[in-house]
Structure formats: C-alpha cells, structure tokens
Amino acid sequence: MLDFFTIFSKGGIVLWCFQGAGVTESFAGPVNALIRSVILQERSGNNSYTHEALSLKYKLDNEFELIFVVGFQKILTLTYVDKFIDDVQLHFRDRYKNELEQKGPLKLIQNNFEFEDDFKILLRDAEESSKARSHAQMRTFTQSEKSQKTVKSMIETKGGEKVKEQGGKKNKNTKKEAPAAEPVKVDQGKASSSGQKMVENGSHGLTSEEIMQKKREEFFRKRTTVPTEKPTSKSPKPQKPKEKQRRVWDMGGNSTKALDYSGRNGDGSSNDGDQNQEAHIDLGMQLNSMKGDLQSVEYESSEEEEEDEEEEEEEEERVVVREKTKMSSKKSGGFGGMFGMLKGLVGSKSLTREDMESVLDKMRDHLIAKNVAAEISSRLCDSVAKKLEGKVMGTFTTVASTVKQALQGSLVQILQPKRRVDILRDVMDAQSQRRPFVITFCGVNGVGKSTNLAKISFWLIENGFTVLIAACDTFRAGAVEQLRTHQRRLNSLHPPEQHGGRPVVQLYEKGYGKDAAGIAMEAIAYARNQVFDVVLVDTAGRMQDNAPLMTALAKLIAINMPDLVLFVGEALVGNEAVDQLVKFNQALADHSMSEKPRLIDGIVLTKFDTIDDKVGAAISMTYITGQPIVFVGTGQTYNDLRSLNARAVVSALMKA
C-alpha cells in the first residue's frame, strides 16, 4: 500500500528508509520536491503534499531536527496514515534517543538505525485497525423497523391520510367561496358614504336643473366679490455681492499675446529641438538615474527596534510575575522560588502548542491588520507552530520573542524568491540569440498596468535597450492614446539624435476591436525584423471571474510564449489578492494547450507609496504563487520604480 517511508535529518542525512514491494523508482525526486516547495519555503502549515501521481505526508520533529515522510499513490484513500506516522515518530525517538542526542552529522552517519522490524509491526497494526473499523455488518430484515410493521397498520395509516386530505380540500373550498360576498359589502359602504356626502352638500332631493342653477349662483357670487387688498411691505433688495477684482501682477505685462505659446510649434513635430530642451530642463533630474539594478524599497527601523525591545521587556516581566505567583502558591522557600523563576526563563522546557496558542492568536490578528489575507495568516501561524513545536527554548528567552523571531524568519524566506529574476541579464542573453525579449503584463482593471509598463520602458531605455510597446488592450477606450502619450514623452527624454537617429521607443498598434493575440504575434515579428531588444505587451484589464476575457488572455500567452508573464496587482488589496492570483493561474492552466502550462512568472506591486506599513499584500501574493515580486511602483513619475527589499518589508510588517 505504501510506496516509501523515509526518516532524515534537516541537514539532509537519511537515517532510515523503506520501499514497498514492486516499487522501483527512487523516492529522492518526490522528497526533494517536498523540501524545495514546502519545507524551505516555510509552507509547512498543511502536512500533505502532492507530487505527480504520489501523495506525500510528513511530520517535523523539532526537538531532534528530524523529518518523517511517507509516500503513497494519490488515488488511494488511506485513513490510517496520520496516526501511523505519529506512532513511527514516537517509536523511533524512544528507541534511538541516545543516538539522536549526539550532535554532528558524522555521528549520525556512523550510527546504525535498524528499524525495519518495528516498522513492519506498526504498519501491520495500522492496516488491521483500519480494516476492523471499515467493516460494518448489514442488518437483517428482522432487525429493521420495517419488519415490525403489519400490513393492516400501513393500510390504516394511508386511509387516515386520505381522510385528512379530503378534509383539507373542503376547508380550501370554503375559503375560496368566502370572498364572493365581500364586493356587496363594499358597494353598500360606498353607497352609504356617497349618500352622506349629498346630504352634507344640501343637494339631496333636488333635480338636475336645480343643482345647475345653484352652482351658477355660487359661481357669480364668487366673481362679483372684490378681494380686500392687503398692504404689502416691500422688502429691501438684496445687495449684489462684490465682484472679485482682477489681480494685477507687477511682472505680468499688459498684453495677453505674450502668454500665447500655441504658435511657437506650428510644424506639429513632437521631437522638435525646443521641446527636447524643455524636457531636459523640466525633467533633467530623471535622466541617467536608473542605470543598472533598481534601488530597493527602504524603511526606517530605529523606532521599530525600540518598540521591539520594549515589547520583549514587557513579556519578560509578565513571565516573571507568572512564575512568582506559581511559586507563591506552592509555598516554597525563598531560594526555591528564585531558582524556580530562573528555571522558567532558562531554556529547560520544550514548547507545546498550548504554550504558543495565545501568542499565535495575537500574531494572526496583527498580520490581518497589516493587510495579509486571513487564510494566509492562519497558514503562516500554523507553519510557525509546527516549526517550533517540541523545540527547546534558548536561555532567558520568552515564548513571545521566540515565536516572533520564527515568524520573521518565515516571512523573509517567503519573500525571497526561489529563483532570481534578472531582466537585464536575460535581455542580453536574448540579444545574443538575435531575438527580442518579450514581457506580457496582465491584471485586473485599474491597477496601473500601462503606467508601470512606461516606467519599465524608461528603466530599460536608461540601460541602453530599445523598446517596442505592443498595444494589445483593444477594449478600453483611450488605451492606445495613453501608450502613444508615454511613447512621445519617453522619446522627448531620449531624443533620436542621441541614438543614431532612431527612436528608442516605438508603439505597435492596430486600433480597437482587434484580436489581441494576433496583434502581439505581429508585434513580436516586427520587433525581430527591426532588431528591437524588448517587446512589452500591454493587455486589457479583466476581472478574474470573466471567463471569455480570461480565455483570451490564456490564448495570447499560449500562442506567443513570452519570456516573462508579470501579474500587476495593487498593494491595497487584502483577501482579494488571493482570489485574483488563484483564478488567473487556474485560467492560464485550464486554457493552455501544452502539458506544462505557462503560469505567472512574477509580480509587479503598484501603489506601494499609499499604504504606509500595511504591506501584507506582498506576503499574500508571494505565498500564493511562489513567484517573486520583480518591480514595486512607488509613485507617479518614471523614476518611481523600485525592487523589493524582503527584510525592510518584514520589519514594516512586524511594526506594532
């Protein structure tokens, strides 16, 4: 039933392993995938992992730094695996406790761990217990409730139901007949009310001619009476508000023609020398400032360190008070109470889940308040609990400080990418192959895809590359014009005269309502013929629930196979970030035509300057995709583009 079971240390030394009958493949591949994707990435909140056709379950032993892993076919439903892996851990610890306490990898290699007999006994007991629980005997007919009923009782029951139904039908019919008499009562009420009105008007018993004569007399009487004039008091007219006086500037001059600049650039050229000179004067500080790698996001940490020290001191005082109360309740001597208090602070006790529960709850609430998704916060806290459970605390350390340090380490590990995305190096590599480097931007509506595409274009131009922008947003009104404005502005900052007469940025567009995948394909072919270094593909914003647009995006990526697929997301979102990334990746996987679909390769985090220290969206996005944050947008100008500093973000996240 089991394919393999292995026990190894966190240093990578295999202490003991077992392979099932008929299993020829090595378990090194699945176990290495588990280590890379789960254990090293601090995702150990869930103790199961799927690798191809295998389902893996694991357990961490933090006291002896061991990992227990069992693998079996994922089509099987083995209910005894969780209890079985716990039993194996306890038996292995108890049997080789002295050997495991010896520190150092050489001593572990020299020890001989003979565990096969005990393992087979535990496996046999687990399988037999699961079989005993699974079998449930079927009841006989005499044991069922149906056997106790007679035919007569069933007939009487049906007859009684029929009688009730007939009675119910009669009641319904009587209810339907009742409303027939109501209109008569209403008519009588109306007639009586109209009769009362006629009596009140004094026209009861008169003929129609007499009634007409009476109404004429009343009409003429009203016309002949002259209304008395009331003295009208004239109210004073409201004064008009004083008009705002035009301000006259000393250096303003008297003629408005001097302020008219519309005729100075009459040829309509966008790359005129005067315009370039103005661009250099206005934005000269931006040029030549983004060569090489981007600057990282920084945070001030002086206040944070002081607050951290104060929190740790408070926690230590609470532990001291708690230990004092325990000692006083036991009525121990003075020296015994003092040494007991010190014993509580010094690392003499291994951590349990109950010890960390209150601290983890506070940490979970703190992460949610910092804009981390609620589901991700729970997973992170569970991962930290499994990482620390059974671990012996250090000297003079508290539970709160230990949990906080472990959580900080986990967050830094999550934000640091599994692979480094070096776009400048990749573009140079594509240049050597005489092809353009293609980057596709995707995301929901209004997150800043076009704006950050222009920032990345400016960064690439500063590093000496030529850029072709493919306008594949054929849906939103004004999308092409926005990119054309960025192209004109970037060319004014880097005029063609400084680059051999060739514009460093060009826009490839075919208007609106066209197929985005076809435009991207034509743009890449055009860039290859015209020897452009980079192609930036701008796509239309789409919600993750819009199936037709998600299908079109998957088609664009599957046909053109870009070198880099970047998801553009806001730093303002919380739980929504999880839903967006999961559904974007799922759509790309579902609509791909290859066995290994192309998913999101990196993240562009925008509007990072608007969130202060609520940087939790970076954790949520990186945790879900496992991909790095490549760019961070920190403002409105072309210079406001940064790379992510994991430690600075974590320090801001843990700030109280």
Side-chain angles (χ1 to χ4, degrees):
M1 300 291 283
L2 299 182
D3 283 23
F4 67 88
F5 194 107
T6 179
I7 304 172
F8 58 94
S9 67
K10 289 187 177 180
I13 301 173
V14 179
L15 306 182
W16 182 84
C17 63
F18 162 82
Q19 278 193 303
V23 179
T24 57
E25 296 181 358
S26 174
F27 59 84
V31 173
N32 287 332
L34 171 70
I35 294 172
R36 284 193 304 268
S37 303
V38 178
I39 297 174
L40 292 181
Q41 294 296 319
E42 301 292 344
R43 301 170 187 268
S44 55
N46 188 9
N47 65 340
S48 61
Y49 175 72
T50 302
H51 177 74
E52 295 179 354
L54 289 178
S55 179
L56 278 68
K57 291 205 172 185
Y58 61 94
K59 186 173 180 63
L60 304 179
D61 189 335
N62 296 303
E63 184 177 355
F64 295 111
E65 302 290 330
L66 299 179
I67 302 174
F68 298 78
V69 181
V70 59
F72 54 92
Q73 296 294 322
K74 65 180 180 181
I75 61 174
L76 301 177
T77 305
L78 303 181
T79 57
Y80 61 86
V81 172
D82 292 329
K83 184 178 181 303
F84 172 66
I85 198 170
D86 292 338
D87 295 340
V88 171
Q89 180 204 10
L90 294 176
H91 280 73
F92 191 82
R93 282 165 48 101
D94 294 341
R95 181 169 178 177
Y96 298 105
K97 185 175 182 180
N98 296 328
E99 289 84 350
L100 294 174
E101 287 177 349
Q102 297 176 2
K103 301 298 182 181
L106 293 177
K107 293 183 179 180
L108 286 177
I109 294 174
Q110 293 172 359
N111 290 324
N112 187 15
F113 298 94
E114 295 292 340
F115 192 65
E116 188 170 357
D117 295 336
D118 295 344
F119 177 81
K120 289 183 178 179
I121 293 172
L122 292 173
L123 180 60
R124 190 185 310 114
D125 294 342
E127 290 178 348
E128 289 176 356
S129 63
S130 65
K131 290 178 181 178
R133 287 196 305 268
S134 61
H135 283 290
Q137 293 182 355
M138 186 181 294
R139 292 183 301 173
T140 61
F141 179 74
T142 56
Q143 295 175 348
S144 64
E145 296 179 358
K146 190 174 182 180
S147 64
Q148 300 175 2
K149 294 182 180 180
T150 61
V151 178
K152 185 178 179 180
S153 64
M154 288 189 285
I155 292 174
E156 287 179 355
T157 304
K158 289 184 178 179
E161 290 177 356
K162 287 182 179 179
V163 172
K164 289 181 182 178
E165 289 176 359
Q166 290 176 358
K169 289 180 180 178
K170 288 181 180 179
N171 293 334
K172 290 179 181 178
N173 293 332
T174 55
K175 287 181 181 178
K176 289 181 180 178
E177 293 173 357
E182 291 180 358
V184 179
K185 294 181 180 179
V186 174
D187 294 340
Q188 290 177 358
K190 288 182 179 179
S192 61
S193 61
S194 61
Q196 290 176 359
K197 289 181 180 179
M198 290 175 66
V199 173
E200 290 174 359
N201 293 333
S203 59
H204 182 65
L206 299 177
T207 61
S208 59
E209 295 179 356
E210 292 175 347
I211 293 172
M212 290 291 293
Q213 185 65 26
K214 188 175 181 180
K215 289 183 177 180
R216 286 175 185 170
E217 291 176 356
E218 291 178 357
F219 176 73
F220 285 116
R221 187 172 63 252
K222 290 179 181 179
R223 293 291 300 272
T224 53
T225 55
V226 180
T228 58
E229 294 183 357
K230 295 181 180 180
T232 58
S233 60
K234 294 183 179 180
S235 60
K237 294 182 179 180
Q239 296 181 357
K240 293 183 178 180
K242 191 175 181 180
E243 295 181 357
K244 185 177 180 180
Q245 299 295 328
R246 182 178 297 177
R247 187 168 183 175
V248 179
W249 297 91
D250 296 335
M251 304 295 292
N254 298 324
S255 175
T256 58
K257 294 182 179 180
L259 303 176
D260 187 6
Y261 293 92
S262 60
R264 295 192 179 184
N265 193 15
D267 56 353
S269 63
S270 60
N271 295 323
D272 195 25
D274 296 338
Q275 186 177 357
N276 293 332
Q277 188 175 0
E278 291 175 6
H280 281 287
I281 293 172
D282 295 339
L283 299 173
M285 296 298 293
Q286 293 184 352
L287 300 179
N288 301 324
S289 62
M290 298 183 69
K291 289 185 178 180
D293 294 334
L294 292 171
Q295 298 178 4
S296 59
V297 180
E298 297 292 343
Y299 281 94
E300 297 180 359
S301 59
S302 58
E303 297 179 359
E304 299 165 8
E305 293 175 356
E306 293 176 0
E307 291 175 359
D308 292 346
E309 291 175 359
E310 292 176 0
E311 289 178 2
E312 290 180 2
E313 290 175 0
E314 291 176 1
E315 290 293 335
E316 288 177 0
E317 290 175 359
R318 291 174 188 171
V319 173
V320 171
V321 172
R322 195 180 301 118
E323 293 294 332
K324 283 183 178 179
T325 55
K326 288 182 180 179
M327 292 300 112
S328 61
S329 63
K330 293 180 180 179
K331 297 181 180 180
S332 59
F335 285 101
M338 183 182 297
F339 286 116
M341 179 183 68
L342 292 175
K343 188 178 179 181
L345 285 174
V346 179
S348 61
K349 179 180 178 296
S350 60
L351 284 173
T352 62
R353 188 63 180 257
E354 289 76 16
D355 298 334
M356 299 180 287
E357 196 66 36
S358 60
V359 181
L360 288 174
D361 290 340
K362 292 180 182 178
M363 289 293 179
R364 186 181 296 107
D365 296 339
H366 177 77
L367 291 176
I368 294 174
K370 292 289 185 177
N371 219 12
V372 181
E375 181 183 358
I376 305 301
S377 302
S378 299
R379 290 187 191 177
L380 285 171
C381 292
D382 292 341
S383 176
V384 170
K386 288 192 175 183
K387 183 179 179 180
L388 294 178
E389 191 173 1
K391 190 174 183 179
V392 178
M393 293 173 58
T395 306
F396 288 96
T397 56
T398 60
V399 177
S401 61
T402 304
V403 172
K404 188 172 183 179
Q405 289 176 3
L407 183 60
Q408 284 180 340
S410 299
L411 293 174
V412 171
Q413 189 66 34
I414 288 170
L415 286 176
Q416 287 178 345
K418 293 184 292 185
R419 59 181 182 87
R420 177 175 171 81
V421 179
D422 193 344
I423 294 180
L424 298 180
R425 183 191 62 188
D426 294 340
V427 173
M428 292 179 183
D429 186 35
Q431 276 182 334
S432 63
Q433 301 175 14
R434 296 184 179 180
R435 65 175 184 85
F437 186 80
V438 183
I439 304 176
T440 299
F441 296 82
C442 62
V444 299
N445 308 78
V447 294
K449 290 184 295 298
S450 302
T451 303
N452 285 273
L453 181 145
K455 293 180 185 179
I456 295 170
S457 300
F458 180 73
W459 174 61
L460 292 170
I461 295 167
E462 289 276 296
N463 286 277
F465 299 116
T466 55
V467 178
L468 178 67
I469 301 175
C472 295
D473 185 357
T474 61
F475 183 76
R476 177 173 64 91
V480 178
E481 287 76 11
Q482 181 183 5
L483 293 177
R484 187 178 292 116
T485 302
H486 283 303
Q487 175 224 356
R488 186 166 56 246
R489 190 62 175 162
L490 291 170
N491 280 325
S492 67
L493 292 172
H494 288 271
E497 291 79 9
Q498 299 178 3
H499 299 273
R502 179 185 179 183
V504 290
V505 182
Q506 288 190 25
L507 177 66
Y508 190 91
E509 54 95 5
K510 292 292 185 180
Y512 296 97
K514 305 294 178 60
D515 182 28
I519 295 175
M521 182 183 293
E522 294 176 7
I524 294 171
Y526 178 80
R528 186 180 291 107
N529 295 331
Q530 299 297 323
V531 197
F532 278 92
D533 299 324
V534 184
V535 178
L536 302 181
V537 181
D538 183 32
T539 61
R542 63 205 75 209
M543 296 304 294
Q544 63 270 21
D545 297 322
N546 194 328
L549 290 180
M550 294 303 297
T551 305
L553 176 64
K555 173 187 172 184
L556 185 147
I557 294 175
I559 291 176
N560 297 286
M561 292 302 293
D563 298 285
L564 199 62
V565 179
L566 296 181
F567 176 84
V568 185
E570 285 182 333
L572 304 170
V573 296
N575 292 322
E576 187 69 13
V578 178
D579 188 53
Q580 289 175 6
L581 283 166
V582 168
K583 290 188 176 179
F584 262 81
N585 265 334
Q586 189 64 41
L588 295 179
D590 291 343
H591 301 291
S592 178
M593 294 176 288
S594 62
E595 295 181 357
K596 294 183 178 180
R598 186 64 183 278
L599 304 180
I600 292 171
D601 300 319
I603 299 168
V604 180
L605 199 60
T606 64
K607 305 178 185 178
F608 206 72
D609 55 323
T610 63
I611 57 172
D612 193 22
D613 59 349
K614 298 185 184 301
V615 294
I619 300 291
S620 301
M621 292 182 179
T622 312
Y623 190 93
I624 286 297
T625 59
Q627 302 299 336
I629 295 177
V630 185
F631 298 106
V632 177
T634 58
Q636 300 293 326
T637 64
Y638 293 141
N639 276 358
D640 295 326
L641 193 67
R642 299 286 184 271
S643 62
L644 190 73
N645 186 347
R647 297 192 179 277
V649 171
V650 171
S651 64
L653 189 66
M654 300 303 293
K655 182 180 177 181

